[in-house]
Amino acid sequence: MRTALVLDIDGVVRPASGASPFGGLVEVGFEPRPVLVSAALCTALAELAAAPGIVPVWLTSWLPEVRRSMRPPFPGRDWPQLELLPTADPGGWPKWTALNAWLDATPGLTRLAWADDDLAAADRIPSYRDRLSARGLDTLLLAPDPADGLTPPHLAHLTSWLHPPPTP
């Protein structure tokens, strides 16, 4: 069983408000303003991504070189980043197009966890969950409030979903 962990940065790992429900933010770089993240959240995401069977990827508008220039504890500076692709659909979302292209080129995935604050737009979650399910993927979609990014309840849900208890 292989599981994709797909993360956005702004509004997910980097809270827009400059404060995190995890507490103490640390500066890890600039893009084009200081990048402040929760060390506790970043450490937890890095640990989740390092678990066996997890395939972590970034799906963000950040340039890969900017992401790679971040300092610890920023997670996944070496994770692959999905290339945002133009969409032929006038109402389409480039992240959705990029994710589908990557899924087409990445066989063997059975589960997908995706955290992006933009998933909340236009009721994307029900539609995308259905479409991903049609691909045979068990799916968890998280749309955090961009002001806070991922919260402790999001992280607890993600952790329990990624590591479900064994069935008897």
Side-chain angles (χ1 to χ4, degrees):
M1 175 169 66
R2 288 182 51 208
T3 302
L5 174 59
V6 181
L7 296 173
D8 182 24
I9 297 173
D10 288 324
V12 175
V13 177
R14 177 192 195 186
S17 69
S20 169
F22 285 95
L25 297 180
V26 295
E27 184 182 305
V28 293
F30 293 89
E31 187 288 324
R33 59 187 179 14
V35 176
L36 301 172
V37 297
S38 160
L41 173 62
C42 289
T43 299
L45 290 173
E47 288 172 0
L48 286 174
I54 304 296
V55 179
V57 296
W58 291 111
L59 183 49
T60 178
S61 59
W62 279 33
L63 295 173
E65 54 272 12
V66 173
R67 179 184 44 75
R68 286 189 296 264
S69 74
M70 296 295 115
R71 296 182 298 276
F74 190 85
R77 290 173 293 148
D78 59 343
W79 298 347
Q81 181 167 327
L82 306 188
E83 181 181 354
L84 292 182
L85 301 170
T87 178
D89 177 5
W93 186 29
K95 286 185 178 181
W96 177 247
T97 304
L99 179 65
N100 277 284
W102 181 73
L103 289 171
D104 289 343
T106 310
L109 293 172
T110 56
R111 305 172 81 222
L112 180 138
W114 182 10
D116 192 311
D117 56 304
D118 288 327
L119 283 169
D123 293 323
R124 287 180 172 147
I125 287 181
S127 171
Y128 289 174
R129 184 182 299 116
D130 290 347
R131 292 189 217 175
L132 292 164
S133 179
R135 293 181 81 109
L137 293 168
D138 182 17
T139 305
L140 173 65
L141 303 177
L142 298 172
D145 180 328
D148 296 325
L150 288 174
T151 64
H154 287 126
L155 184 61
H157 188 188
L158 179 60
T159 300
S160 67
W161 189 86
L162 288 172
H163 305 293
T167 55

